[in-house]
Amino acid sequence: MDRELGCCLVTLMAGWVCMAQATPLTYPPGRGGYKAAVYEHAVHIPWGCLLVPVSRGEAVRQMMKNIQVYKTQAAAASREGADIIVFPEDGIYGMIFNRNTIKPFLEEIPDPRITEWNPCLTSGSDTDTDTDTDTDTTIQRELSCMARENAMYVIANMGDRKPCNHSNDPKCPDDDQYQYNTDVTFNPEGVLVARYHKRHLFQEDQFDTPPLELATFETPFGKFGLFTCFDILFYNPGVELINKEGIRNMVFPTAWMDRLPYLAAIEYHSAFAKGLGVNVLAANIHYPVFKFQGSGIYTPTGSATYYYNDGALSEGKLLVADVDSIVETGIQDPFVYLQMKRENWIVINMKQDTKVSSGDMLSSFVPVERSFDKTDPLFDTLKLTRWTSLPRENYTFVALEHQTGTQRACRDDVCCTVVYTRENLSALEDLFVLAVFNGFDDGRFTQICSVLMCPDNDMSSCGDPVKQSRSAFSFMEISGNLSTPFIFPEVLVADGQYIGLVQGEWSFKDRVLHGGNGFSKPLITASLFGRLYSRDKVTLT
């Protein structure tokens, strides 16, 4: 079979509409917010292109099937008044490539800090012939024109190639180029204003690990930072953007696989926003058969909007919501910032066993980056087969046996307490436990205090994934002595046949999760998810 015909075996057809030149945006002075859009994209994956390299022309033809969907959604977001739209990681060409087969899908993306470039005005495209792989910038031109035609900021994820030479770069790969998983941002005029190379790769042998970058861009409605998917589980670049650059608006393209009970996309991404007091615009791909689903626009007070549908025949979705700008606090010490009450920005004192200076705190909570040896057994743990439950040997479980009460449990030096009231407790109710986790999860040191549902009403099943629940709680308060300021509060509920979030029914203050009036939907888990980045065994240079 012709290799390019084979590349077309799987095609997800999408309509598109013609877009007229939009009126350039004008922003009133002192504007207090913006309208954000994220698109969860049911990506067309060119299956026949994943194992055998194809021409650049064929790669462009395949990518244009996704780009046409992007055009339609950008136009729809523009009609709703969106100022900014975020598309997902891997949304233009899919995933599961190897290093050679990804090559025709890559473009060389300039550094906007050095070169001002508007591809819509300065570069050509040709999707009908085999254009030159080294110089063609078709996809960048399409994204640039998309931003210009809709007068909005457009953020997308694509592949970057950077030629290198062994004579002056001993780390240069054998094929004489670096290949990076890359986010790009185009402003409403079509100018490339930000480029970010993904730092933490997850089973992406087609890409190289770049030096650490902190990528930001300015808008009339705030300063934004870029990070991608797996990055969110590490200190760099996400937390560092918040601490060092003062970023309060995070743009987050992702291809995220749900990992219950704590790392479903909508669950953890919303927890990151609430825990660190930032806005997160999270766009995921939509491929439920592989557990890729869940996008949202998250704020420090909860989700402005989100989408979760894991049905096999479900489709992608455009989300649009108004987002309040977060005013700079003027506080420079990141650990003073991280100890603030999120609702009213009042500084509180973090409980410590001994008095330490902020400098000592910095050294104890922030990781020292070091080389990551791929021969290390930890590297082999980053596999899809292991992307399931957390290691049970690091857990302590204590059952919540009464309708109302207080329960305490410890795991080594981490102790957690829950005060709770359950509704309609009976023999048929779900088994819930107070779970305490203290230890490594695939090389990431994690501490968790959690009220957790056990799927089989058996203690041996505690910690396994759960998506359905019948149990309501009318009161809950979770606290613990987690030895980190980086705490991400989560509440995940059963929403019909899907998992979901609840808005405005709980708060996170003084390192305590408060659900004073309970939750309106059956609970799956409520957690304080803490990360001790300085103790991680998986770090990079």
Side-chain angles (χ1 to χ4, degrees), residues 506-533:
W506 61 280
S507 63
F508 175 59
K509 295 193 298 184
D510 301 351
R511 299 163 59 86
V512 178
L513 191 157
H514 301 271
N517 296 316
F519 311 116
S520 60
K521 296 177 180 179
L523 183 69
I524 292 176
T525 183
S527 309
L528 300 175
F529 190 104
R531 283 284 285 113
L532 281 74
Y533 301 109

Side-chain angles (χ1 to χ4, degrees), residues 381-398:
T381 66
L382 297 175
K383 302 296 181 183
L384 290 176
T385 54
R386 289 293 307 278
W387 195 238
T388 54
S389 304
L390 274 68
R392 290 185 61 84
E393 62 269 19
N394 295 329
Y395 267 120
T396 293
F397 301 111
V398 178

Side-chain angles (χ1 to χ4, degrees), residues 11-281:
T11 303
L12 304 177
M13 300 302 294
W16 64 284
V17 297
C18 296
M19 298 177 291
Q21 177 70 42
T23 303
L25 290 178
T26 56
Y27 298 98
R31 192 175 184 214
Y34 56 95
K35 183 163 283 190
V38 302
Y39 180 58
E40 179 158 318
H41 177 44
V43 58
H44 160 73
I45 300 177
W47 293 102
C49 303
L50 302 182
L51 298 178
V52 180
V54 297
S55 67
R56 170 62 180 176
E58 180 58 25
V60 170
R61 284 190 284 272
Q62 293 298 320
M63 289 188 286
M64 286 302 297
K65 296 173 183 179
N66 291 304
I67 289 291
Q68 297 294 2
V69 180
Y70 281 20
K71 289 182 177 180
T72 301
Q73 299 303 324
S78 178
R79 290 193 295 270
E80 293 193 43
D83 302 310
I84 183 171
I85 187 169
V86 184
F87 293 104
E89 180 188 26
D90 296 335
I92 291 176
Y93 44 63
M95 54 277 187
I96 329 177
F97 290 89
N98 62 43
R99 187 170 182 87
N100 287 325
T101 57
I102 193 67
K103 290 184 186 299
F105 293 82
L106 307 177
E107 296 182 3
E108 189 166 357
I109 305 170
D111 186 344
R113 297 170 299 181
I114 300 172
T115 304
E116 182 172 326
W117 188 47
N118 189 324
C120 190
L121 300 182
T122 59
S123 77
S125 68
D126 188 347
T127 60
D128 297 320
T129 60
D130 286 352
T131 54
D132 186 274
T133 303
D134 293 338
T135 60
D136 181 55
T137 55
T138 296
I139 300 305
Q140 292 173 79
R141 182 179 187 276
E142 292 289 342
L143 295 171
S144 170
C145 292
M146 194 183 305
R148 184 176 176 83
E149 290 165 356
N150 293 285
M152 65 169 62
Y153 289 85
V154 171
I155 294 88
N157 176 267
M158 58 185 297
D160 187 13
R161 58 180 298 274
K162 286 288 172 281
C164 59
N165 193 307
H166 287 276
S167 63
N168 55 22
D169 181 1
K171 295 182 179 180
C172 180
D174 292 340
D175 54 4
D176 297 325
Q177 68 176 24
Y178 291 103
Q179 301 178 175
Y180 297 127
N181 179 329
T182 307
D183 298 334
V184 291
T185 301
F186 294 92
N187 74 8
E189 298 299 320
V191 177
L192 178 68
V193 294
R195 182 198 70 186
Y196 168 66
H197 294 145
K198 181 182 178 183
R199 176 68 167 164
H200 296 278
L201 303 175
F202 182 79
Q203 288 197 315
E204 298 170 76
D205 294 337
Q206 69 271 38
F207 292 122
D208 297 298
T209 299
L212 175 63
E213 301 175 344
L214 297 181
T216 65
F217 61 96
E218 296 274 4
T219 76
F221 42 87
K223 186 177 181 181
F224 286 73
L226 289 159
F227 67 147
T228 311
C229 200
F230 204 40
D231 286 335
I232 202 171
L233 295 179
F234 300 88
Y235 180 82
N236 290 312
V239 181
E240 189 163 357
L241 280 166
I242 297 168
N243 288 341
K244 287 191 175 181
E245 298 293 326
I247 297 299
R248 300 296 179 262
N249 300 280
M250 304 293 291
V251 172
F252 186 61
T254 185
W256 188 277
M257 293 178 295
D258 275 355
R259 187 194 186 197
L260 294 166
Y262 305 116
L263 294 176
I266 60 173
E267 178 184 27
Y268 191 75
H269 304 162
S270 62
F272 187 91
K274 199 173 188 75
L276 295 182
V278 296
N279 297 320
V280 177
L281 314 184

Side-chain angles (χ1 to χ4, degrees), residues 475-522:
F475 180 87
M476 182 170 291
E477 186 175 280
I478 302 174
S479 59
N481 65 336
L482 306 186
S483 53
T484 175
F486 302 104
I487 298 175
F488 307 102
E490 306 176 333
V491 173
L492 193 67
V493 298
D495 187 4
Q497 59 181 317
Y498 307 118
I499 61 174
L501 305 175
V502 287
Q503 174 70 11
E505 299 182 6
W506 61 280
S507 63
F508 175 59
K509 295 193 298 184
D510 301 351
R511 299 163 59 86
V512 178
L513 191 157
H514 301 271
N517 296 316
F519 311 116
S520 60
K521 296 177 180 179

